[in-house]
Amino acid sequence: TSGNDDTHIILRGGEKPNYEPSDVEACVSKLRDEKTNMNLMIDFSHGNSRKNHENQKIVCKSVAEQIEKGNKYIVGVMIESHLKEGNQKISDNLEYGKSITDSCICWEETKELIMELAESVKKRRNFG
């Protein structure tokens, strides 16, 4: 919609990841052509991580570099995170702090990714 400044597209990946600069630029270009909001959120998990929670740090590195280099269309990210790494099946002996759905990175690693993104925003502010 062109009337809501808060709308955004979420790039989650699909048959292949779609978080790299060329993917982001292609999406922004299409949105620009449609004269609609160009805000993007990038999901570090799901198709972009090829459903391997450990790959979220690879996605984060790319996104942080894009932000640092001046990309202002990336307005948010989604991180599959929980207190403890991995996931578990529902059982009588559930481990506290571990996901029962998708595999997650642990809280300590989540903090590292958030700090990496925060640094990239600081550098972007000094870039332009």
Side-chain angles (χ1 to χ4, degrees):
T1 177
S2 60
N4 183 343
D5 292 337
D6 296 323
T7 61
H8 56 271
I9 296 283
I10 300 175
L11 298 178
R12 297 185 66 202
E15 291 180 16
K16 66 179 194 75
N18 62 359
Y19 63 86
E20 293 288 356
S22 60
D23 302 306
V24 170
E25 290 167 18
C27 185
V28 168
S29 178
K30 286 179 185 177
L31 292 169
R32 183 180 293 116
D33 290 347
E34 294 295 321
K35 296 179 176 46
T36 192
N37 191 317
M38 296 177 282
N39 291 340
L40 304 176
M41 181 176 289
I42 298 179
D43 185 345
F44 288 2
S45 189
H46 302 99
N48 280 335
S49 69
R50 298 190 184 268
K51 299 191 177 191
N52 178 345
H53 66 283
E54 294 176 0
N55 289 338
Q56 291 186 88
K57 57 187 144 211
I58 296 168
V59 180
C60 182
K61 181 173 177 45
S62 175
V63 170
E65 288 173 357
Q66 292 174 65
I67 291 169
E68 181 178 331
K69 290 178 180 174
N71 187 308
K72 293 186 178 179
Y73 301 112
I74 300 170
V75 297
V77 301
M78 295 168 59
I79 303 172
E80 200 82 58
S81 170
H82 212 305
L83 297 175
K84 296 182 180 177
E85 180 181 22
N87 68 341
Q88 62 187 323
K89 295 192 182 304
I90 294 178
S91 71
D92 292 336
N93 299 320
L94 289 175
E95 184 179 345
Y96 177 79
K98 188 177 272 194
S99 173
I100 58 170
T101 57
D102 294 337
S103 289
C104 298
I105 59 173
C106 69
W107 178 242
E108 290 304 314
E109 188 167 1
T110 301
K111 290 191 297 187
E112 290 173 17
L113 298 187
I114 290 170
M115 294 306 294
E116 182 177 354
L117 291 165
E119 275 302 308
S120 70
V121 170
K122 286 180 191 175
K123 290 176 181 176
R124 178 180 71 189
R125 289 178 180 154
N126 294 326
F127 183 76

